[in-house]
PDB file of all heavy atoms in Angstrom:
ATOM      1  N   LEU A   9      -7.810   9.103   0.555  1.00 94.00           N
ATOM      2  CA  LEU A   9      -8.426   9.687   1.659  1.00 94.00           C
ATOM      3  C   LEU A   9      -8.463   8.886   3.017  1.00 94.00           C
ATOM      4  O   LEU A   9      -8.078   9.359   4.151  1.00 94.00           O
ATOM      5  CB  LEU A   9      -9.913  10.280   1.281  1.00 94.00           C
ATOM      6  CG  LEU A   9      -9.911  11.457   0.340  1.00 94.00           C
ATOM      7  CD1 LEU A   9     -11.420  11.799  -0.028  1.00 94.00           C
ATOM      8  CD2 LEU A   9      -9.230  12.663   0.853  1.00 94.00           C
ATOM      9  N   THR A  10      -8.764   7.534   2.736  1.00 92.00           N
ATOM     10  CA  THR A  10      -8.750   6.684   3.851  1.00 92.00           C
ATOM     11  C   THR A  10      -7.309   6.508   4.358  1.00 92.00           C
ATOM     12  O   THR A  10      -7.115   6.636   5.634  1.00 92.00           O
ATOM     13  CB  THR A  10      -9.289   5.401   3.441  1.00 92.00           C
ATOM     14  OG1 THR A  10     -10.609   5.427   2.975  1.00 92.00           O
ATOM     15  CG2 THR A  10      -9.153   4.228   4.491  1.00 92.00           C
ATOM     16  N   PHE A  11      -6.307   6.428   3.460  1.00 94.00           N
ATOM     17  CA  PHE A  11      -5.036   6.314   3.987  1.00 94.00           C
ATOM     18  C   PHE A  11      -4.532   7.523   4.665  1.00 94.00           C
ATOM     19  O   PHE A  11      -3.983   7.396   5.691  1.00 94.00           O
ATOM     20  CB  PHE A  11      -3.963   6.054   2.682  1.00 94.00           C
ATOM     21  CG  PHE A  11      -2.523   5.798   3.051  1.00 94.00           C
ATOM     22  CD1 PHE A  11      -2.023   4.597   3.360  1.00 94.00           C
ATOM     23  CD2 PHE A  11      -1.675   7.005   3.358  1.00 94.00           C
ATOM     24  CE1 PHE A  11      -0.800   4.311   3.755  1.00 94.00           C
ATOM     25  CE2 PHE A  11      -0.419   6.783   3.707  1.00 94.00           C
ATOM     26  CZ  PHE A  11       0.038   5.441   3.968  1.00 94.00           C
ATOM     27  N   GLU A  12      -4.765   8.700   4.165  1.00 95.00           N
ATOM     28  CA  GLU A  12      -4.419   9.852   4.889  1.00 95.00           C
ATOM     29  C   GLU A  12      -5.091  10.035   6.279  1.00 95.00           C
ATOM     30  O   GLU A  12      -4.445  10.386   7.187  1.00 95.00           O
ATOM     31  CB  GLU A  12      -4.678  11.134   3.906  1.00 95.00           C
ATOM     32  CG  GLU A  12      -3.799  11.118   2.821  1.00 95.00           C
ATOM     33  CD  GLU A  12      -4.253  12.196   1.774  1.00 95.00           C
ATOM     34  OE1 GLU A  12      -5.372  12.566   1.732  1.00 95.00           O
ATOM     35  OE2 GLU A  12      -3.352  12.679   1.022  1.00 95.00           O
ATOM     36  N   ALA A  13      -6.350   9.766   6.391  1.00 93.00           N
ATOM     37  CA  ALA A  13      -7.120   9.904   7.660  1.00 93.00           C
ATOM     38  C   ALA A  13      -6.498   8.888   8.667  1.00 93.00           C
ATOM     39  O   ALA A  13      -6.422   9.272   9.719  1.00 93.00           O
ATOM     40  CB  ALA A  13      -8.492   9.704   7.274  1.00 93.00           C
ATOM     41  N   THR A  14      -6.254   7.525   8.116  1.00 92.00           N
ATOM     42  CA  THR A  14      -5.745   6.673   9.091  1.00 92.00           C
ATOM     43  C   THR A  14      -4.369   6.955   9.611  1.00 92.00           C
ATOM     44  O   THR A  14      -4.048   6.780  10.694  1.00 92.00           O
ATOM     45  CB  THR A  14      -5.764   5.231   8.330  1.00 92.00           C
ATOM     46  OG1 THR A  14      -7.172   4.992   7.823  1.00 92.00           O
ATOM     47  CG2 THR A  14      -5.449   4.079   9.332  1.00 92.00           C
ATOM     48  N   LEU A  15      -3.462   7.435   8.605  1.00 94.00           N
ATOM     49  CA  LEU A  15      -2.198   7.793   8.898  1.00 94.00           C
ATOM     50  C   LEU A  15      -2.105   9.003   9.954  1.00 94.00           C
ATOM     51  O   LEU A  15      -1.140   8.988  10.859  1.00 94.00           O
ATOM     52  CB  LEU A  15      -1.381   8.255   7.612  1.00 94.00           C
ATOM     53  CG  LEU A  15       0.106   8.597   7.742  1.00 94.00           C
ATOM     54  CD1 LEU A  15       0.857   7.340   8.178  1.00 94.00           C
ATOM     55  CD2 LEU A  15       0.583   9.271   6.565  1.00 94.00           C
ATOM     56  N   ALA A  16      -3.046   9.828   9.846  1.00 93.00           N
ATOM     57  CA  ALA A  16      -3.110  10.933  10.857  1.00 93.00           C
ATOM     58  C   ALA A  16      -3.212  10.466  12.324  1.00 93.00           C
ATOM     59  O   ALA A  16      -2.873  11.099  13.130  1.00 93.00           O
ATOM     60  CB  ALA A  16      -4.209  11.889  10.404  1.00 93.00           C
ATOM     61  N   LYS A  17      -3.824   9.223  12.332  1.00 90.00           N
ATOM     62  CA  LYS A  17      -4.141   8.589  13.716  1.00 90.00           C
ATOM     63  C   LYS A  17      -2.964   7.735  14.072  1.00 90.00           C
ATOM     64  O   LYS A  17      -2.924   7.263  15.368  1.00 90.00           O
ATOM     65  CB  LYS A  17      -5.401   7.824  13.726  1.00 90.00           C
ATOM     66  CG  LYS A  17      -6.633   8.776  13.377  1.00 90.00           C
ATOM     67  CD  LYS A  17      -7.838   7.772  13.303  1.00 90.00           C
ATOM     68  CE  LYS A  17      -9.016   8.691  12.933  1.00 90.00           C
ATOM     69  NZ  LYS A  17     -10.134   7.838  12.718  1.00 90.00           N
ATOM     70  N   GLY A  18      -1.995   7.358  13.204  1.00 91.00           N
ATOM     71  CA  GLY A  18      -0.924   6.480  13.570  1.00 91.00           C
ATOM     72  C   GLY A  18      -0.412   5.543  12.434  1.00 91.00           C
ATOM     73  O   GLY A  18      -0.036   5.965  11.360  1.00 91.00           O
ATOM     74  N   THR A  19      -0.460   4.270  12.689  1.00 93.00           N
ATOM     75  CA  THR A  19      -0.034   3.247  11.814  1.00 93.00           C
ATOM     76  C   THR A  19      -1.041   2.863  10.778  1.00 93.00           C
ATOM     77  O   THR A  19      -2.153   2.803  11.157  1.00 93.00           O
ATOM     78  CB  THR A  19       0.443   2.013  12.580  1.00 93.00           C
ATOM     79  OG1 THR A  19       1.551   2.444  13.560  1.00 93.00           O
ATOM     80  CG2 THR A  19       1.047   0.978  11.765  1.00 93.00           C
ATOM     81  N   VAL A  20      -0.569   2.463   9.513  1.00 94.00           N
ATOM     82  CA  VAL A  20      -1.346   2.103   8.443  1.00 94.00           C
ATOM     83  C   VAL A  20      -0.886   0.817   7.842  1.00 94.00           C
ATOM     84  O   VAL A  20       0.449   0.859   7.527  1.00 94.00           O
ATOM     85  CB  VAL A  20      -1.599   3.159   7.395  1.00 94.00           C
ATOM     86  CG1 VAL A  20      -2.539   2.761   6.390  1.00 94.00           C
ATOM     87  CG2 VAL A  20      -2.049   4.396   7.999  1.00 94.00           C
ATOM     88  N   PHE A  47       3.100   1.438   7.260  1.00 96.00           N
ATOM     89  CA  PHE A  47       3.507   2.806   7.141  1.00 96.00           C
ATOM     90  C   PHE A  47       3.148   3.652   8.467  1.00 96.00           C
ATOM     91  O   PHE A  47       2.260   3.216   9.058  1.00 96.00           O
ATOM     92  CB  PHE A  47       2.870   3.538   5.988  1.00 96.00           C
ATOM     93  CG  PHE A  47       3.230   3.036   4.574  1.00 96.00           C
ATOM     94  CD1 PHE A  47       2.464   2.042   4.049  1.00 96.00           C
ATOM     95  CD2 PHE A  47       4.312   3.532   3.954  1.00 96.00           C
ATOM     96  CE1 PHE A  47       2.840   1.586   2.700  1.00 96.00           C
ATOM     97  CE2 PHE A  47       4.673   3.107   2.768  1.00 96.00           C
ATOM     98  CZ  PHE A  47       3.971   2.103   2.017  1.00 96.00           C
ATOM     99  N   SER A  48       3.935   4.641   8.821  1.00 95.00           N
ATOM    100  CA  SER A  48       3.633   5.307   9.895  1.00 95.00           C
ATOM    101  C   SER A  48       4.354   6.766   9.938  1.00 95.00           C
ATOM    102  O   SER A  48       5.439   6.914   9.348  1.00 95.00           O
ATOM    103  CB  SER A  48       4.154   4.785  11.246  1.00 95.00           C
ATOM    104  OG  SER A  48       3.908   5.533  12.358  1.00 95.00           O
ATOM    105  N   LYS A  49       3.562   7.731  10.357  1.00 91.00           N
ATOM    106  CA  LYS A  49       4.177   9.090  10.218  1.00 91.00           C
ATOM    107  C   LYS A  49       5.342   9.269  11.258  1.00 91.00           C
ATOM    108  O   LYS A  49       5.947  10.164  11.343  1.00 91.00           O
ATOM    109  CB  LYS A  49       3.066  10.157  10.462  1.00 91.00           C
ATOM    110  CG  LYS A  49       2.471  10.115  11.861  1.00 91.00           C
ATOM    111  CD  LYS A  49       1.191  11.180  11.899  1.00 91.00           C
ATOM    112  CE  LYS A  49       0.604  11.002  13.194  1.00 91.00           C
ATOM    113  NZ  LYS A  49      -0.462  12.020  13.470  1.00 91.00           N
ATOM    114  N   ARG A  50       5.381   8.276  12.057  1.00 90.00           N
ATOM    115  CA  ARG A  50       6.386   8.199  13.215  1.00 90.00           C
ATOM    116  C   ARG A  50       7.777   7.645  12.741  1.00 90.00           C
ATOM    117  O   ARG A  50       8.672   7.620  13.471  1.00 90.00           O
ATOM    118  CB  ARG A  50       5.884   7.442  14.518  1.00 90.00           C
ATOM    119  CG  ARG A  50       4.699   8.366  14.999  1.00 90.00           C
ATOM    120  CD  ARG A  50       4.307   7.559  16.387  1.00 90.00           C
ATOM    121  NE  ARG A  50       2.812   7.891  16.523  1.00 90.00           N
ATOM    122  CZ  ARG A  50       1.921   6.981  16.818  1.00 90.00           C
ATOM    123  NH1 ARG A  50       2.143   5.689  16.690  1.00 90.00           N
ATOM    124  NH2 ARG A  50       0.605   7.475  16.967  1.00 90.00           N
ATOM    125  N   SER A  87      -6.039   0.158   9.934  1.00 89.00           N
ATOM    126  CA  SER A  87      -5.356   0.915  10.972  1.00 89.00           C
ATOM    127  C   SER A  87      -4.541   0.092  11.734  1.00 89.00           C
ATOM    128  O   SER A  87      -4.683  -1.108  11.829  1.00 89.00           O
ATOM    129  CB  SER A  87      -6.570   1.657  11.777  1.00 89.00           C
ATOM    130  OG  SER A  87      -7.260   0.795  12.395  1.00 89.00           O
ATOM    131  N   GLY A  88      -3.689   0.672  12.578  1.00 83.00           N
ATOM    132  CA  GLY A  88      -2.776   0.077  13.522  1.00 83.00           C
ATOM    133  C   GLY A  88      -3.541  -0.831  14.536  1.00 83.00           C
ATOM    134  O   GLY A  88      -2.852  -1.743  14.982  1.00 83.00           O
ATOM    135  N   ASP A  89      -4.659  -0.440  14.816  1.00 82.00           N
ATOM    136  CA  ASP A  89      -5.367  -1.290  15.881  1.00 82.00           C
ATOM    137  C   ASP A  89      -6.201  -2.356  15.188  1.00 82.00           C
ATOM    138  O   ASP A  89      -7.138  -3.028  15.786  1.00 82.00           O
ATOM    139  CB  ASP A  89      -6.349  -0.339  16.650  1.00 82.00           C
ATOM    140  CG  ASP A  89      -7.433   0.365  15.793  1.00 82.00           C
ATOM    141  OD1 ASP A  89      -7.495   0.075  14.531  1.00 82.00           O
ATOM    142  OD2 ASP A  89      -8.206   1.147  16.352  1.00 82.00           O
ATOM    143  N   ARG A  91      -8.390  -2.435  12.703  1.00 72.00           N
ATOM    144  CA  ARG A  91      -9.840  -2.174  12.282  1.00 72.00           C
ATOM    145  C   ARG A  91      -9.592  -1.951  10.769  1.00 72.00           C
ATOM    146  O   ARG A  91      -9.037  -1.060  10.396  1.00 72.00           O
ATOM    147  CB  ARG A  91     -10.444  -1.058  12.995  1.00 72.00           C
ATOM    148  CG  ARG A  91     -10.756  -1.449  14.367  1.00 72.00           C
ATOM    149  CD  ARG A  91     -11.499  -0.216  14.916  1.00 72.00           C
ATOM    150  NE  ARG A  91     -11.537  -0.417  16.420  1.00 72.00           N
ATOM    151  CZ  ARG A  91     -11.710   0.610  17.300  1.00 72.00           C
ATOM    152  NH1 ARG A  91     -11.826   1.880  16.848  1.00 72.00           N
ATOM    153  NH2 ARG A  91     -11.727   0.341  18.572  1.00 72.00           N
ATOM    154  N   THR A  93     -10.312  -0.385   7.455  1.00 77.00           N
ATOM    155  CA  THR A  93     -10.918   0.875   7.068  1.00 77.00           C
ATOM    156  C   THR A  93     -11.311   0.931   5.731  1.00 77.00           C
ATOM    157  O   THR A  93     -12.158   1.886   5.294  1.00 77.00           O
ATOM    158  CB  THR A  93     -10.023   1.991   7.453  1.00 77.00           C
ATOM    159  OG1 THR A  93      -8.615   1.773   6.927  1.00 77.00           O
ATOM    160  CG2 THR A  93      -9.844   2.058   9.023  1.00 77.00           C
TER     161      THR A  93
END
Side-chain angles (χ1 to χ4, degrees):
L9 291 174
T10 301
F11 183 92
E12 290 171 332
T14 307
L15 183 66
K17 297 175 187 175
T19 302
V20 183
F47 293 93
S48 176
K49 62 183 181 179
R50 296 183 203 124
S87 62
D89 61 7
R91 293 184 190 157
T93 53

